[in-house]
Amino acid sequence: MDLLKTLSEEFSIKPANAENIISLIDGGNTIPFIARYRKEMTGSCDDQVLHEFSLRLQYLRNLDKRKKEIAESIASQGKMTEELARAVENAQTLTEAEDIYRPFRPKRRTRATIAEEKGLRPLAETLLRQDKKSEAPKELAAAFIDPEKGVNTLEEALTGAQDIIAEIISDDAETRKKLRALMKKDGSVQSKAAKKQNPVYQMYYDYAEPVSKIPGHRILAINRGEREEALKVSILLNEAGALSIVNAAFVKDEAPASSIVKDAGKDAWERLIYPSVEREVRSELTEKAVSQAINLFAMNLRPLLLTPPLKGRVTLGLDPAYRTGCKIAVVDETGKVLDTTVVYPTPPQSKTEEAKKELTRLINKHGVTAISIGNGTASKESEIFVAELIKELGAPVGYMMVNEAGASVYSASKLA
């Protein structure tokens, strides 16, 4: 995968800037640092874009690493084909890659592996081919009766072969992809009352809502109820729709073995595919719900953070610095931003008189009565400058040093 090309296209960033961002992240620089001090290298990307870029970079690298591991594992088993290699290379998500790898993953002991140990794999493959001219399943199974391997009857041979077929169907990546999409489109999240009933979750004691429409806050509420053992939660899906996808992929009509393959498909859906796909869809719903909740919380928190601490005062905030200048913002009694600028009263520019004129203009224009100075870099020089300015103005303006420990990192963080 060409990470540079992929990321620059996804984020609409020039390749040179994308390359710089990757280099800065790999160099151990934090996102707040890059956003604040390396604007010329990133094309002035803000902290949120850089956060998302960093997460996507990590995801794509993990995907690339996992695809290589999968390809090596399949190749080591001597089962790699050109078609498989292309499928692994073209996988766009970890889920797609894992679906492709599923048939080749070392398995724990399952009903299918036990049946394979009894030598029933050839019978399963013959039945799955569903040759119309083939013998009846029972006649085929007769050759696999072997008491020494634990296959004593025709029924045991056919049941074991059906278990193997069910696992083959379950491991098919394309079928899983279609069933996952079907559950997202037509599935319904259902909750029922459980043992530890809690009045808080009463509305969810007998509740159902489509997967495609259920809002995030209800997902989170249902999840909490499940964790507290007040609710039982599941995703319902019309079985007929799911089985039609399975049958379309694996069942050939009018063949002697068709009914066995159809039964194996039903078993694969109910026992193997449905529980797995349900977990995946619920996990995705929860992830989206958490993201929405954080965004809503941020919206609600914003006016609280902007509540002015000095009632009835117009305040000028001064963020001290050397090279990049002192950043200025004026807010009114309600916290509304009235003006912003940058002045350079500190070294190396030391444009003190020019800075005084600009601040005097802002103080007179907006009726500033309080000045807030951050106590970080260049704070001492900034305090001396402001104290001299107030003395020269002779105006009723006061100033205060404000602790900005962690402010830069916090302000450029995803949490903020």
Side-chain angles (χ1 to χ4, degrees):
M1 182 184 295
D2 188 338
L3 285 176
L4 187 60
K5 183 173 182 288
T6 301
L7 288 167
S8 62
E9 287 177 356
E10 283 188 16
F11 289 89
S12 301
I13 296 172
K14 291 179 181 178
N17 293 137
E19 188 173 13
N20 288 339
I21 295 169
I22 293 171
S23 177
L24 287 165
I25 291 170
D26 289 345
N29 298 287
T30 65
I31 295 302
F33 174 84
I34 297 169
R36 190 177 176 92
Y37 298 113
R38 294 294 180 266
K39 291 181 184 293
E40 68 282 0
M41 294 179 71
T42 68
S44 297
C45 288
D46 65 30
D47 54 281
Q48 191 59 41
V49 170
L50 291 170
H51 271 296
E52 291 171 5
F53 186 101
S54 177
L55 290 173
R56 186 64 176 153
L57 173 64
Q58 184 180 1
Y59 181 89
L60 291 176
R61 281 178 167 168
N62 289 341
L63 174 61
D64 217 28
K65 181 184 175 186
R66 184 59 183 149
K67 281 158 65 171
K68 286 175 184 174
E69 291 171 351
I70 287 171
E72 287 170 5
S73 177
I74 296 173
S76 69
Q77 297 173 41
K79 297 176 180 177
M80 181 59 82
T81 63
E82 286 185 17
E83 187 181 354
L84 260 178
R86 278 196 304 272
V88 172
E89 180 60 31
N90 294 332
Q92 298 298 305
T93 65
L94 283 168
T95 302
E96 280 185 40
E98 293 298 342
D99 279 351
I100 294 165
Y101 184 48
R102 185 177 288 274
F104 309 97
R105 185 187 295 130
K107 290 182 170 65
R108 57 184 175 78
R109 195 170 166 79
T110 63
R111 280 164 49 172
T113 57
I114 292 169
E116 287 192 28
E117 289 167 6
K118 294 178 179 180
L120 295 172
R121 179 85 186 189
L123 173 60
E125 291 175 346
T126 301
L127 292 171
L128 186 56
R129 280 197 297 271
Q130 300 164 80
D131 187 345
K132 290 183 179 181
K133 297 180 181 179
S134 175
E135 298 175 274
K138 288 187 177 181
E139 292 175 6
L140 292 170
F144 291 87
I145 294 176
D146 187 345
E148 288 185 9
K149 291 184 178 179
V151 185
N152 298 300
T153 64
L154 290 172
E155 286 70 24
E156 286 180 7
L158 290 172
T159 299
Q162 188 170 302
D163 288 338
I164 294 171
I165 294 169
E167 194 162 283
I168 290 171
I169 293 171
S170 171
D171 287 344
D172 185 70
E174 190 59 30
T175 300
R176 277 183 168 263
K177 185 177 180 179
K178 289 178 180 177
L179 289 169
R180 193 181 295 114
L182 181 70
M183 185 172 282
K184 289 179 185 178
K185 177 176 171 283
D186 296 337
S188 177
V189 178
Q190 183 187 68
S191 61
K192 297 280 187 182
K195 293 179 182 178
K196 299 180 180 179
Q197 294 194 11
N198 184 333
V200 171
Y201 304 107
Q202 191 165 0
M203 72 170 284
Y204 298 112
Y205 282 174
D206 187 11
Y207 188 83
E209 191 166 357
V211 169
S212 58
K213 294 181 179 178
I214 189 166
H217 67 273
R218 279 205 275 275
I219 287 290
L220 296 178
I222 287 170
N223 287 354
R224 281 196 303 273
E226 186 178 39
R227 282 197 303 274
E228 294 172 21
E229 299 180 13
L231 299 173
K232 289 181 180 178
V233 185
S234 60
I235 295 182
L236 300 182
L237 181 65
N238 186 298
E239 190 176 77
L243 292 181
S244 68
I245 289 175
V246 174
N247 293 340
F250 290 95
V251 178
K252 298 175 182 177
D253 293 329
E254 299 177 5
S258 295
S259 61
I260 286 180
V261 176
K262 190 175 285 189
D263 289 344
K266 190 172 188 294
D267 178 45
W269 164 249
E270 293 175 349
R271 181 169 59 88
L272 302 172
I273 302 174
Y274 167 74
S276 173
V277 172
E278 182 192 35
R279 282 193 301 272
E280 291 169 7
V281 172
R282 285 198 62 192
S283 176
E284 190 175 315
L285 285 173
T286 299
E287 193 175 319
K288 286 181 180 176
V290 169
S291 178
Q292 289 169 2
I294 290 171
N295 290 335
L296 181 62
F297 176 72
M299 266 174 49
N300 292 335
L301 183 62
R302 180 181 173 83
L304 294 176
L305 292 178
L306 291 176
T307 300
L310 294 175
K311 187 177 180 181
R313 305 285 287 273
V314 177
T315 305
L316 182 148
L318 188 150
D319 179 21
Y322 289 117
R323 179 176 61 87
T324 55
C326 298
K327 274 68 72 178
I328 306 294
V330 181
V331 296
D332 70 7
E333 300 89 335
T334 66
K336 178 184 175 183
V337 179
L338 301 176
D339 228 322
T340 62
T341 189
V342 180
V343 295
Y344 300 88
T346 56
Q349 286 91 340
S350 299
K351 298 178 181 177
T352 307
E353 292 307 314
E354 189 178 309
K356 283 183 179 179
K357 286 179 183 177
E358 179 63 11
L359 260 63
T360 300
R361 183 185 71 80
L362 292 174
I363 289 168
N364 292 334
K365 178 181 177 182
H366 300 294
V368 173
T369 56
I371 298 177
S372 166
I373 306 171
N375 70 342
T377 306
S379 62
K380 190 64 183 175
E381 293 88 341
S382 298
E383 182 182 7
I384 292 169
F385 163 73
V386 169
E388 288 178 356
L389 174 65
I390 291 174
K391 187 176 180 181
E392 291 175 13
L393 283 175
V397 182
Y399 78 86
M400 185 177 202
M401 302 302 295
V402 177
N403 183 3
E404 61 174 51
S408 295
V409 174
Y410 172 75
S411 68
S413 72
K414 188 173 182 181
L415 176 63

